[in-house]
Amino acid sequence: MAKKPTPTEILQGTLDVLVLQTLAPGVAHGHTIAQVIERRSEDVLQVEHGSLYPALHRLEDRGWIASFWGASDNNRRARYYRLTAAGRRQLTVETNRWERMVRAVNRVLRPAEE
């Protein structure tokens, strides 16, 4: 019997685009990024720190986001992330790719009358 994918396993394939979209309006630190994704998905997508921070580092290595140190709301040191120009372009690419994938899956799940 096939193992049912966990929310984290499903998320790994889409985490990059979710992070990019979350940063589109402006800067945020990691904890806020995770909270926004969880809240917008009505808690369906749970972003574990063990997945989020490697993704943030990967996106930064690719030049799609940049980071800087600042003070959080409770005056603690926190790393903040922002979308770069290359990240905005990549967000468009990734969003288009995701939308094509959703349409393809929907065609399989809801085939037209043949």
Side-chain angles (χ1 to χ4, degrees), residues 18 21-25 34-45:
L18 296 174
Q21 179 60 42
T22 301
L23 291 173
Q35 285 182 324
V36 168
I37 292 170
E38 290 172 15
R39 187 179 67 245
R40 286 183 184 168
S41 73
E42 297 178 351
D43 294 319
V44 171
L45 303 174

Side-chain angles (χ1 to χ4, degrees), residues 2-88:
K3 179 184 154 214
K4 181 180 175 187
T6 65
T8 301
E9 291 170 334
I10 294 167
L11 183 58
Q12 286 177 350
T14 59
L15 185 54
D16 290 358
V17 71
L18 296 174
V19 169
L20 294 174
Q21 179 60 42
T22 301
L23 291 173
V27 301
H29 57 79
H31 184 70
T32 299
I33 293 168
Q35 285 182 324
V36 168
I37 292 170
E38 290 172 15
R39 187 179 67 245
R40 286 183 184 168
S41 73
E42 297 178 351
D43 294 319
V44 171
L45 303 174
Q46 301 292 315
V47 183
E48 302 295 329
H49 287 214
S51 298
L52 177 62
Y53 288 99
L56 290 169
H57 294 296
R58 182 176 59 252
L59 294 172
E60 191 167 23
D61 288 345
R62 291 178 181 166
W64 298 344
I65 65 173
S67 66
F68 61 93
W69 288 101
S72 66
D73 292 339
N74 59 2
N75 213 24
R76 298 181 87 173
R77 190 170 184 229
R79 192 162 193 91
Y80 286 84
Y81 300 89
R82 66 171 181 80
L83 205 54
T84 64
R88 287 196 186 283

